Structure formats: C-alpha cells, structure tokens
C-alpha cells in the first residue's frame, strides 16, 4: 500500500517539477530583457538534438571574450538549421546577455525577436 502511495506521489510530482523549472526559466528571460545588454556571440559547439540541444558560445564583450554554454534551446522553438549554419560559417549571432543570468536570449533572424 505504501509503495502505491509513493508511486502515485512520484507521478504527480513530475508535472509540478517541470512547472517550477519553466517558471524559473521564464523569470531568467524576463530578468535578461529588463537588465541585459545586446552582445555579439559566435557559436563554438552544438551538443545534442531535439528540445535539449545545447550550444557553447563565445560572447564578445567590451572587457573581452567570455565562453558560456546553454541548453534547452530546441524547446524554445529555434530553427536548428539556422543555428547549424551560423555555427558552420562562423556567423555572428546577436544575443541578450547578463552575467548573472543562467541563460541568454538569441535573436531569431526570422522574426527579429529575442527568444
């Protein structure tokens, strides 16, 4: 009986945990929109596929280059062909960045919005 209750609790906890993660990500994106700055970055590596694809950037700041890695970009609706092209051709990418945030916002060339 106890095992059934624990199992049901575990199943119900998954949606709550996912909701908390999404809420945290949304707060970080709002923070960046309010206090971040638009910077130039170059994609140095693409890791993974699907919604959990991760990207390593080299961000060109006035104080020098900073390397950062971010994941979960596929879940935000990025055009992976565009990201792969920017990586392969070493095209600069516009991002919104803040050193205290856990993520960056990347400018989508199709819409001009930072996602």
């Amino acid at each position: 009986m106890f095992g059934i209750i624990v199992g049901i609790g575990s199943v119900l906890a998954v949606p709550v945990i996912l909701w908390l993660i999404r809420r945290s990500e949304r707060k970080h994106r709002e923070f960046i929109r309010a206090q971040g700055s638009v910077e130039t970055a170059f994609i140095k590596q693409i890791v993974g596929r699907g919604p959990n694809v991760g990207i390593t950037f080299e961000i060109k700041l006035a104080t020098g280059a900073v390397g950062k890695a971010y994941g979960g970009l596929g879940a935000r609706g990025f055009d992976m062909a565009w990201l792969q092209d920017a990586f392969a051709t070493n095209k600069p990418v516009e991002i919104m960045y803040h050193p205290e945030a856990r993520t960056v916002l990347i400018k989508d060339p199709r819409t001009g919005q930072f996602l």
Side-chain angles (χ1 to χ4, degrees):
M1 182 68 163
F2 180 73
I4 293 172
I5 293 171
V6 170
I8 291 172
S10 297
V11 170
L12 295 176
V14 170
V16 171
I17 292 169
L18 291 174
W19 177 79
L20 288 171
I21 291 170
R22 287 188 189 117
R23 182 174 168 219
S24 173
E25 290 173 357
R26 186 174 57 246
K27 283 187 173 191
H28 281 280
R29 290 192 298 269
E30 290 170 1
F31 173 76
I32 291 172
R33 284 189 176 99
Q35 296 187 26
S37 59
V38 176
E39 305 292 345
T40 300
F42 293 88
I43 300 171
K44 294 299 180 184
Q45 185 178 24
I46 298 176
V47 180
R49 294 187 180 146
N52 294 321
V53 69
I55 294 179
T56 302
F57 287 106
E58 180 179 271
I59 304 168
K60 303 289 185 177
L61 301 173
T63 57
V66 175
K68 293 285 183 175
Y70 299 98
L73 299 177
R76 287 199 224 163
F78 282 102
D79 177 7
M80 292 310 300
W82 171 76
L83 288 173
Q84 290 170 343
D85 180 60
F87 168 65
T89 59
N90 203 32
K91 287 182 187 174
V93 177
E94 281 188 88
I95 64 168
M96 286 189 92
Y97 168 79
H98 191 282
E100 295 176 19
R102 286 191 250 168
T103 191
V104 296
L105 302 178
I106 304 171
K107 186 174 186 178
D108 186 334
R110 299 172 297 173
T111 63
Q113 295 181 353
F114 286 92
L115 302 174

